[in-house]
Amino acid sequence: MSVNVKQLAAEKAVEYVKDGMKVGLGTGSTAYWAIRKLGERVAEGLKITAVATSQASEDQARELGIPLVGFGDIDRLDLTIDGADELDGKLQLVKGGGGALLREKIVAMGSERMIVVADESKAVETLGKFPLPVEIVPFACEWTLSDLAKLGCEPVLRRTGDELYKSDNGNYIADCHFGAIHSAPELAKALQGIPGVVEHGLFIGIANFAIIGKSDGSIEVIEGEKHR
């Protein structure tokens, strides 16, 4: 029987959730398994409150009976569990494949700890094989795409069928093909300088550690430092 490595990593991360915690729920195929396991533990008596990073994760949590609260009702989270599209040995991440990068970053930055859950295919030496998602405002998006291209990438507006994809915030996502990203902090700073950019999918100094599921059934933990 083959090992579901995403489920393996996600369920290990949920072991860090304790009674009374305020928890951030990530978005994506690996976070799905974490939310499912949390739902099981809540049904068994675990007492937590949670916030979600996307409508999809919120809907899943509600179906499983996980208590959700509004952001105005809490100030900080104890822990956020979320996936990544890529991560390197420094725990620099590329996120946003699911289109929720802005909300994911807000929630992660509002957490005491962030645990990244991923399968071994997401661990890389150098970021950049996965196109970097950048959330941009629809207004004058052509200009923003031009500015992004000047940074050395090929930006492509994400689509759903024949329609332009819109995030839960009503913005477009430009998937930027940079190739190898040799200095993520430098690129992040450049992206932040473009007016039409709402947020980018580089998560630097945010994750505390990563739990990586492997096809042989083992788990690797990568620890990092949180620079805030």
Side-chain angles (χ1 to χ4, degrees):
M1 184 176 177
S2 62
V3 177
N4 185 329
V5 290
K6 294 181 178 182
Q7 183 177 3
L8 184 72
E11 293 189 350
K12 180 66 177 177
V14 171
E15 293 178 11
Y16 289 84
V17 179
K18 308 300 181 186
D19 251 348
M21 278 190 169
K22 294 171 286 187
V23 183
L25 308 177
T27 295
S29 57
T30 309
Y32 164 87
W33 290 106
I35 297 170
R36 196 175 89 154
K37 186 63 176 180
L38 271 176
E40 292 177 8
R41 291 193 58 196
V42 166
E44 293 166 358
L46 178 71
K47 304 296 184 185
I48 63 169
T49 53
V51 296
T53 56
S54 67
Q55 191 61 54
S57 293
E58 181 177 328
D59 291 344
Q60 182 191 4
R62 287 192 191 282
E63 289 174 7
L64 294 171
I66 298 173
L68 295 167
V69 295
F71 286 92
D73 298 324
I74 52 175
D75 52 358
R76 294 283 292 175
L77 299 172
D78 296 296
L79 179 67
T80 286
I81 300 173
D82 206 348
D85 299 301
E86 285 186 333
L87 67 152
D88 65 14
K90 297 179 182 178
L91 277 194
Q92 299 180 128
L93 317 175
V94 168
K95 288 179 55 56
L101 62 101
L102 173 59
R103 296 188 181 194
E104 288 171 338
K105 190 171 284 188
I106 290 171
V107 170
M109 291 294 290
S111 305
E112 295 299 326
R113 290 188 297 165
M114 178 190 184
I115 300 177
V116 179
V117 288
D119 64 78
E120 58 193 334
S121 70
K122 305 298 176 61
V124 298
E125 287 190 12
T126 305
L127 300 177
K129 184 176 181 181
F130 190 92
L132 177 66
V134 179
E135 186 161 343
I136 67 173
V137 294
F139 177 78
C141 66
E142 297 86 354
W143 289 9
T144 303
L145 292 172
S146 178
D147 286 340
L148 288 170
K150 291 173 185 175
L151 297 181
C153 72
E154 178 189 346
V156 178
L157 285 179
R158 188 177 299 182
R159 290 182 173 272
T160 303
D162 294 331
E163 301 293 324
L164 285 173
Y165 173 88
K166 283 194 174 183
S167 71
D168 284 345
N169 314 301
N171 297 314
Y172 295 155
I173 300 289
D175 291 307
C176 299
H177 301 252
F178 280 97
I181 298 173
H182 296 293
S183 177
E186 184 178 321
L187 177 57
K189 185 177 180 180
L191 289 167
Q192 289 163 355
I194 298 175
V197 169
V198 179
E199 191 52 84
H200 56 78
L202 289 171
F203 283 51
I204 303 167
I206 296 177
N208 291 94
F209 58 101
I211 298 175
I212 300 172
K214 299 195 171 185
S215 55
D216 62 3
S218 65
I219 289 174
E220 178 184 2
V221 177
I222 301 176
E223 296 189 20
E225 296 181 359
K226 203 171 196 178
H227 308 293
R228 293 233 181 127

